[in-house]
């Protein structure tokens, strides 16, 4: 599996690695992004001029492990029958017959999200929502999430972070900006969280990436999660007491996503 943080040399067998307080905070932020901790855990930022190779290796392992579990435990572990080139094939998440050696691929976008979040999100938690603060935070968040050139492993990481970001106690504006950027960078997040106001042709362009031969396994492995996400979204809109305008917007977003 290609590491998201560059080529990393594994430590020698039997060696132990100690992380300082700043590195520990960075790993805590990563745990939050991966849905393994609460956002209130970290209240101070973690910034690095040059992160240690050991820290990068630890982060890479945690990201790839969480992505693998996400794909496996939510349906990929079950044997399924699918079509491949017009022929019936069956297997589980990593079966060669289905994926031809499929493995999630990563780019520097995963590293950027993690390290930028560690350096920034703790400072935004509980921020007063003044006009100047909102504008500054929006500019900061825009640099945290790379949206172009991402790959299948990044997409899953972004999708996990899309849900987990809520525990950082950001302002509603910051949270929405962050989630919108994550959807723009991850067609999987855009598919799962049908909240985009993007035009249908834009959505179709995103989703087309998910049916590429080297990425289609991602969607096939999370079909159950996807069905639950759409059902939950429809139920929330149906039972909510929002303004007619907001209800119309949310129904339209869900309809545009499912149609695309």
């Amino acid at each position: 599996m290609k590491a998201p943080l560059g080529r990393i040399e594994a430590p020698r067998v039997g060696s132990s690695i100690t992380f300082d307080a700043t590195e520990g905070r960075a790993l805590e932020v990563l745990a939050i992004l991966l849905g393994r901790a609460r956002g209130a855990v970290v209240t101070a930022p973690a910034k690095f001029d040059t992160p240690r190779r050991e820290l990068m290796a630890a982060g890479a392992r945690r990201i790839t492990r969480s992505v693998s579990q996400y794909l496996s435990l939510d349906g990929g572990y079950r044997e399924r029958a699918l079509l491949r080139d017009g022929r019936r094939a069956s297997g589980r998440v990593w079966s060669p017959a289905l994926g031809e050696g499929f493995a999630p691929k990563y780019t520097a976008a995963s590293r950027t999200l993690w390290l930028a979040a560690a350096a920034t999100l703790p400072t935004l938690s509980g921020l007063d929502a003044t006009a100047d603060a909102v504008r500054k935070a929006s500019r900061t968040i825009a640099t945290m999430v790379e949206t172009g050139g991402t790959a299948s492993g990044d997409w899953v990481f972004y999708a996990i972070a899309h849900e987990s970001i809520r525990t950082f106690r950001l302002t509603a504006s910051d949270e929405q900006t962050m989630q919108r950027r994550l959807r723009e960078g991850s067609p999987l997040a855009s598919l799962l969280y049908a909240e985009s106001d993007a035009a249908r042709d834009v959505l179709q362009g995103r989703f087309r990436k998910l049916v590429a031969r080297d990425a289609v396994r991602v969607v096939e492995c999370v079909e159950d999660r996807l069905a639950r996400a759409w059902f939950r979204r429809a139920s929330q809109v149906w039972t909510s007491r929002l303004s007619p305008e907001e209800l119309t917007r949310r129904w339209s977003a869900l309809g545009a996503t499912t149609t695309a």
Side-chain angles (χ1 to χ4, degrees), residues 100-149:
E100 295 184 348
F102 166 76
K105 297 179 181 179
Y106 300 87
T107 70
S110 288
R111 175 184 60 200
T112 298
L113 174 60
W114 166 32
L115 295 181
T120 304
L121 289 186
T123 68
L124 297 179
S125 296
L127 190 68
D128 292 334
T130 63
D132 288 342
V134 168
R135 285 194 294 269
K136 182 178 179 181
S138 295
R139 290 194 297 269
T140 300
I141 289 173
T143 64
M144 289 173 52
V145 185
E146 296 182 8
T147 59

Side-chain angles (χ1 to χ4, degrees), residues 83-206:
L83 286 177
R84 283 293 183 270
D85 296 324
R87 296 183 178 182
R88 181 186 179 93
S90 61
R92 294 177 172 81
V93 60
W94 309 123
S95 298
L98 296 179
E100 295 184 348
F102 166 76
K105 297 179 181 179
Y106 300 87
T107 70
S110 288
R111 175 184 60 200
T112 298
L113 174 60
W114 166 32
L115 295 181
T120 304
L121 289 186
T123 68
L124 297 179
S125 296
L127 190 68
D128 292 334
T130 63
D132 288 342
V134 168
R135 285 194 294 269
K136 182 178 179 181
S138 295
R139 290 194 297 269
T140 300
I141 289 173
T143 64
M144 289 173 52
V145 185
E146 296 182 8
T147 59
T150 53
S152 56
D154 306 321
W155 302 342
V156 179
F157 182 24
Y158 277 26
I160 297 172
H162 189 285
E163 179 71 20
S164 305
I165 203 71
R166 297 176 178 176
T167 70
F168 277 101
R169 297 183 300 183
L170 303 176
T171 65
S173 175
D174 292 345
E175 181 180 299
Q176 291 168 6
T177 299
M178 184 81 175
Q179 290 180 327
R180 184 180 67 252
R181 294 284 294 179
L182 290 169
R183 292 195 300 272
E184 290 172 355
S186 167
L188 179 63
S190 196
L191 188 65
L192 283 166
Y193 303 101
E195 301 181 16
S196 178
D197 293 324
R200 187 172 298 172
D201 59 337
V202 174
L203 291 173
Q204 288 175 332
R206 293 181 193 174

Side-chain angles (χ1 to χ4, degrees), residues 40-52:
V41 171
V42 183
T43 58
K47 300 181 179 180
F48 306 93
D49 292 329
T50 305
R52 280 199 303 155

Side-chain angles (χ1 to χ4, degrees), residues 192-241:
L192 283 166
Y193 303 101
E195 301 181 16
S196 178
D197 293 324
R200 187 172 298 172
D201 59 337
V202 174
L203 291 173
Q204 288 175 332
R206 293 181 193 174
F207 301 153
R208 195 171 292 117
K209 299 176 183 178
L210 289 171
V211 295
R213 189 63 178 260
D214 61 346
V216 70
R217 293 296 294 127
V218 171
V219 179
E220 291 173 348
C221 290
V222 298
E223 285 178 340
D224 293 347
R225 179 184 290 270
L226 178 60
R228 289 197 304 270
W230 285 353
F231 180 80
R232 182 170 59 249
R233 180 65 174 168
S235 298
Q236 289 172 347
V237 179
W238 181 260
T239 58
S240 61
R241 297 182 178 180

